[in-house]
Amino acid sequence: MSTTSEIIISKEAVDGWRNLDFFRDVVSKDLSLPEDEFCLSNLVVTDATGKQSGFMSLLHRVKLDVELKGGNREQKSYIVKEKSNDVFGGDMVDKFNVFEKEIEAYQKLIPEFEKLFPHKVKFGPKFFKSVTFPFTVIVMEDLNASGYVMKNCSKRLDISQSKTVLSRMAKFHAASVVYFKQNGPYPKSFKTGMYDEDSAADCEAYIGNLYKSLVASLIERKCSNQFLELINQWGANPYVAGARLFRLNDNDFNVLNHGDLWMNNVMFSDNDLLMIDFQIAFYGSFTFDLLEFIFCTVEVDDIINQFDDLIEFYHHELRTAFQMLDNSNMLPSLETLQADIKRHGFLAALLMIEAIPMISYIKVGELSLELMSSSEPEGEEFRRKLYHNEKYIEVVDRLLPFLFERGYLKCSTDF
């Protein structure tokens, strides 16, 4: 019997994508068979996310039965990502070109990046289909069905797991550089990512409220004045500083950034990993992916004790990737990367405002994105819980001295 989160749909076509006819070409592509070589039945649609998800889009898992002409039967499973204005951030989907980017990434860029390597390298799930009118959906491989799972986000990745992700990141970045060299600039939709000066006004209230709550929590917890003095200089809207920091600079080592590379956007199998959710990918400094991944996902002790080693490892993997791509001359020096990281290090501080508290809260409670952005008393109370969460405090109190020593707490106006 179906539940509220499970919809069983008969073979008769219905409006939209929730019908068997919609998936005939998907199955045909998946099985490499003509559509008259199989029959479909028993379509089941369920939520593929859980309570903590639902930012900018809806995610569904679709299962259906396939009967081949010879009589053999099997069940296939797919992921459908659906555009919706009814989820948190839904009003920003068009502004950030979310679906335009993801369709381009899954349908074209990722397969082209993979083809550049002489040996098999995968970056993301298989793409099967997209529709942009009268509704917008992307149909992809169900990585769970292919043996991939997310790591338990209750703890961060250890150094070995982190290096595995950094290695794949380096290959992705190197491939994006070679692709740019061979094909020219990426589409305009990839010019901006999470931080965009044109979106500063839209994000001002949201980030501003978070920032004020962060400062209030640090004061209440008697944070060191040497840290607070710098944090208080970030301005009323630190989002603007982030947008200026990641303006495209042709002198940087620029790559196609995933744009949101933390633990829940990486799926692991026994001997592989793939990246998902390219909705805010952008072309710009490599430092965004690298710093966001390290500070949001790597064990804090490893950040503090092995930060420079992680940067050197990333550089080593870049060298290996460019060698595989027969473009060794495109490798920047380690010194160049280190200088770029120092110049963009303020991103690590910005992550304390939104990304790190969100990730930390997911580990202990149900995250309410609506309350995070609310200016009402209920929103203020929720943000207080967010920044007084023990998991968050455990991370931030250990990171603050490190960020201070590195100069990453300083919001420079010289970008």
Side-chain angles (χ1 to χ4, degrees):
M1 180 176 293
S2 65
T3 67
T4 55
S5 63
E6 180 178 288
I7 307 169
I8 300 178
I9 302 175
S10 67
K11 63 181 179 180
E12 288 79 17
V14 295
D15 291 339
W17 59 267
R18 293 170 172 81
N19 62 81
L20 292 168
D21 285 339
F22 182 83
F23 289 92
R24 292 190 189 282
D25 56 347
V26 172
V27 175
S28 175
K29 184 176 181 180
D30 188 14
L31 299 180
S32 299
L33 289 174
E35 292 184 22
D36 61 0
E37 291 288 321
F38 57 83
C39 294
L40 304 180
S41 61
N42 300 326
L43 181 71
V44 178
V45 181
T46 58
D47 174 31
T49 57
K51 292 182 179 180
Q52 304 292 2
S53 301
F55 182 71
M56 290 191 176
S57 59
L58 299 173
L59 210 62
H60 311 277
R61 174 168 284 107
V62 173
K63 293 184 178 182
L64 48 82
D65 292 334
V66 182
E67 183 175 356
L68 304 179
K69 262 192 173 180
N72 292 334
R73 298 178 65 92
E74 62 178 299
Q75 187 178 73
K76 300 299 296 183
S77 180
Y78 304 100
I79 293 296
V80 176
K81 194 163 192 176
E82 181 180 21
K83 179 180 179 180
S84 173
N85 291 326
D86 296 330
V87 295
F88 183 83
D91 56 332
M92 300 296 287
V93 167
D94 292 328
K95 194 171 190 65
F96 282 97
N97 303 301
V98 166
F99 276 84
E100 183 180 347
K101 286 183 180 182
E102 285 218 289
I103 291 171
E104 181 77 9
Y106 284 125
Q107 184 174 13
K108 180 180 179 181
L109 296 178
I110 290 174
E112 290 297 320
F113 290 2
E114 293 169 349
K115 289 177 185 176
L116 290 171
F117 289 88
H119 306 293
K120 184 178 180 181
V121 174
K122 282 195 69 180
F123 294 118
K126 296 175 186 174
F127 168 90
F128 291 114
K129 181 178 183 176
S130 67
V131 174
T132 57
F133 184 82
F135 49 86
T136 301
V137 296
I138 304 171
V139 184
M140 299 173 286
E141 172 188 8
D142 182 355
L143 290 178
N144 281 165
S146 301
Y148 291 82
V149 296
M150 290 181 183
K151 293 289 185 183
N152 184 350
C153 70
S154 64
K155 59 181 181 179
R156 289 172 166 239
L157 296 184
D158 62 31
I159 196 70
S160 176
Q161 295 166 332
S162 299
K163 285 185 174 181
T164 303
V165 178
L166 287 175
S167 178
R168 192 62 53 90
M169 180 199 300
K171 289 182 176 66
F172 183 82
H173 286 174
S176 75
V177 172
V178 173
Y179 181 89
F180 184 97
K181 174 186 175 183
Q182 295 178 352
N183 298 278
Y186 289 96
K188 290 182 179 179
S189 58
F190 290 97
K191 283 189 174 182
T192 55
M194 185 179 297
Y195 291 100
D196 171 22
E197 288 183 90
D198 291 338
S199 301
D202 296 314
C203 297
E204 182 174 3
Y206 172 56
I207 297 297
N209 284 338
L210 291 174
Y211 171 58
K212 286 187 288 186
S213 296
L214 167 63
V215 173
S217 74
L218 292 174
I219 293 173
E220 185 177 343
R221 296 197 298 106
K222 303 187 185 307
C223 176
S224 170
N225 284 334
Q226 64 180 350
F227 304 152
L228 278 172
E229 285 178 7
L230 291 173
I231 294 171
N232 276 318
Q233 294 172 17
W234 293 358
N237 187 6
Y239 181 92
V240 174
R244 291 173 180 168
L245 185 63
F246 282 94
R247 285 174 181 162
L248 182 62
N249 183 339
D250 291 336
N251 294 320
D252 287 344
F253 174 58
N254 293 313
V255 303
L256 186 68
N257 284 273
H258 174 282
D260 194 17
L261 195 56
W262 67 289
M263 188 184 301
N264 274 21
N265 284 334
V266 181
M267 297 189 68
F268 297 81
S269 69
D270 290 340
N271 54 12
D272 192 26
L273 66 87
L274 294 174
M275 298 178 288
I276 59 172
D277 202 355
F278 291 79
Q279 60 187 15
I280 46 179
F282 75 100
Y283 181 73
S285 172
F286 76 98
T287 57
F288 191 93
D289 271 356
L290 187 59
L291 291 173
E292 183 186 41
F293 171 73
I294 289 175
F295 284 99
C296 288
T297 306
V298 178
E299 280 284 358
V300 177
D301 284 345
D302 292 329
I303 296 174
I304 294 170
N305 298 321
Q306 301 192 54
F307 183 77
D308 292 325
D309 292 340
L310 289 170
I311 305 307
E312 290 182 20
F313 178 81
Y314 169 80
H315 183 259
H316 174 272
E317 294 301 294
L318 265 184
R319 177 188 292 112
T320 301
F322 278 124
Q323 288 172 347
M324 294 171 67
L325 296 167
D326 197 24
N327 274 269
S328 296
N329 62 318
M330 305 195 76
L331 175 72
S333 68
L334 176 60
E335 292 73 22
T336 296
L337 296 191
Q338 290 169 332
D340 280 354
I341 289 167
K342 183 176 182 179
R343 188 160 56 86
H344 291 87
F346 180 60
L347 174 64
L350 289 175
L351 294 170
M352 294 195 306
I353 298 176
E354 183 192 33
I356 294 176
M358 288 175 66
I359 293 167
S360 300
Y361 200 82
I362 286 173
K363 301 174 183 180
V364 298
E366 184 173 344
L367 186 67
S368 172
L369 298 171
E370 288 78 12
L371 286 177
M372 277 183 65
S373 62
S374 173
S375 298
E376 300 300 319
E378 295 85 353
E380 294 179 9
E381 177 58 27
F382 183 80
R383 288 190 294 276
R384 187 180 185 281
K385 291 180 181 178
L386 200 68
Y387 294 112
H388 283 266
N389 168 24
E390 289 184 5
K391 293 289 186 182
Y392 175 74
I393 291 173
E394 179 184 342
V395 170
V396 168
D397 283 3
R398 291 155 69 199
L399 281 181
L400 277 171
F402 177 82
L403 298 180
F404 177 79
E405 291 171 6
R406 294 269 171 164
Y408 296 169
L409 289 180
K410 185 177 181 181
C411 178
S412 173
T413 57
D414 182 18
F415 298 123

